[in-house]
Structures are given as structure tokens and as C-alpha cells.
Amino acid sequence: RGCDTANARVRFTSSGSRLPVQMNPKSYDGTCMSRILIIGATGTVGREVVSQLTASDAQVRALVRNPDAARLPPHVESMRGDLNVPETLDGCLDGVDTVFLVWTAPPAAVAPCLERIAKHARRIVFLSAPLKTSHPFFQQPNPSRALAEQIERLIETSGLEWTFLRPRMLAANALRWWGPQIRAGAVVRWPYLLAPTAGSRARHRRNRGPRAV
């Protein structure tokens, strides 16, 4: 964990989850990173990445708005920063090799934040969107999709080594999307039907962590 190779443009995991993982073809020697910055460490996926990285020999730093309220493991270095204020990233990025990015800010902040990341880090792992999933449900135009496409384009031209994680549906989203419907006694059928959407069945957030680290 904390090490990887980038020998292929597109790699599918062997665990059966079929999570698309796209990497740039730049050479990466597979050595362990000395310090990894997690942006989005207090979120659903970010906490899993932090948890699994701290179980390895990686040095983990988290960019958070409020370190006192972050509730991260004590051996994680929590530093105050905010994607909405790009200049706050500079101190958090000092000495960092790799960045795991969950984007949680307006589109206007993308370019200045990525410029700062590119000045300090050599590799970025971005939790993107299912841009390459062919089913029409995932190809509908929407602001979130457009933002993910914008971020990927800027990362590709940044000079960084990069990995894009493009999960389909996260099981945790069911709490918001279908929780009230299920509690009311209704049945949710679509994500598990034996139909073209079957490959889009919801995944537990814990399965995203190993793909990232």
C-alpha cells in the first residue's frame, strides 16, 4: 500500500469490482511515497483512504478546514487548509509527494489549486466520476460531470503523474437517495436488476480505499 505502478493507461482491478482506474503512461518506479496529502480526509471515501494508508508505512497528512474537529487518527498530521482559498494549500503541500483529491469547492478554484499541487507534488490520485461508463444514466449532462471533466483535463496537462478513480455508485449514497423510500416500506430494484445497469451496482466506500492507495 502506498506504492503502485503505472504501466498501463487503463487498469481494472482483479477483485471483481471492475472499478475503472485510469493512469497516465508516465513512468513510475513503484517506490513508496514519503508523505501523502489527503484532500477530503473527513469525507466518506477520504476517511477510508486515511485509515488504510495509516495501516501502511506511509506518512499521512490531511488538509482540513478545522483540525480540532476533524477526528482523525492521532498519528495523522492535520493541517488547516481550504480549497476555496487556494493559497492555504501551500503549507499543506510542503514536503508532499502524492495528493489524493476529493474535490469539494466551486469550479473557479480548480485551476489555482491544481497549479499549487503541481508545484509541490509529483503524483495525484483524483476521485472523479463515471465518465467512461457507457450506460445512459452515467452519460447525462450535469454540473458534477462537467466539473469532473474539467478537473481531469487540467490534471492531464499539469505535468503530474496521475490516477483517476471513476466509481459508479457508492453504497453510502443510498442513505441519502433511497433511505426514506426504504424506511417507508418501498422496494428499490434498479441498481441490482439483471439489466445493462447491473455492472453499476453500488459499492461500499471501503472498496475505494485500496484502489486509491
Side-chain angles (χ1 to χ4, degrees):
R1 301 186 187 277
C3 303
D4 210 335
T5 57
N7 297 321
R9 289 177 180 269
V10 181
R11 177 171 65 102
F12 289 86
T13 62
S14 59
S15 63
S17 67
R18 296 186 293 175
L19 172 68
V21 179
Q22 183 173 358
M23 301 178 180
N24 65 337
K26 293 178 67 175
S27 175
Y28 175 55
D29 60 15
T31 56
C32 290
M33 299 299 179
S34 62
R35 180 172 285 113
I36 303 173
L37 177 66
I38 311 299
I39 301 177
T42 60
T44 302
V45 175
R47 284 191 182 276
E48 288 295 336
V49 174
V50 168
S51 174
Q52 294 182 40
L53 280 174
T54 53
S56 71
D57 58 356
Q59 298 179 49
V60 182
R61 177 183 293 169
L63 180 150
V64 294
R65 293 189 181 96
N66 185 355
D68 295 332
R71 296 182 291 107
L72 295 172
H75 46 285
V76 173
E77 182 184 10
S78 298
M79 295 188 65
R80 191 180 303 276
D82 190 338
L83 292 173
N84 292 285
V85 189
E87 56 268 27
T88 64
L89 272 65
D90 291 331
C92 300
L93 287 162
D94 185 40
V96 163
D97 294 295
T98 300
V99 172
F100 176 80
L101 175 64
V102 180
W103 189 260
T104 58
V110 172
C113 285
L114 288 179
E115 287 175 6
R116 284 173 160 79
I117 291 172
K119 287 179 181 178
H120 293 271
R122 67 166 178 166
R123 179 174 181 242
I124 185 169
V125 179
F126 171 50
L127 183 65
S128 186
L131 304 179
K132 303 299 184 182
T133 301
S134 60
H135 191 273
F137 178 82
F138 296 108
Q139 294 301 319
Q140 300 177 66
N142 61 75
S144 295
R145 177 186 175 85
L147 180 58
E149 290 175 328
Q150 175 192 356
I151 295 173
E152 286 198 7
R153 286 195 300 269
L154 288 174
I155 290 175
E156 287 174 345
T157 59
S158 67
L160 290 161
E161 298 172 8
W162 51 261
T163 300
F164 298 150
L165 304 180
R166 298 190 181 115
R168 292 161 185 154
M169 290 190 299
L170 298 178
N173 291 336
L175 296 175
R176 182 175 73 255
W177 294 347
W178 305 307
Q181 180 180 348
I182 293 171
R183 286 190 289 270
V187 177
V188 177
R189 303 179 187 277
W190 175 76
Y192 298 94
L193 284 175
L194 295 177
T197 55
S200 304
R201 60 190 181 275
R203 317 289 182 183
H204 194 278
R205 60 187 179 272
R206 191 165 296 146
N207 291 333
R208 304 286 71 78
R211 313 303 182 255
V213 304

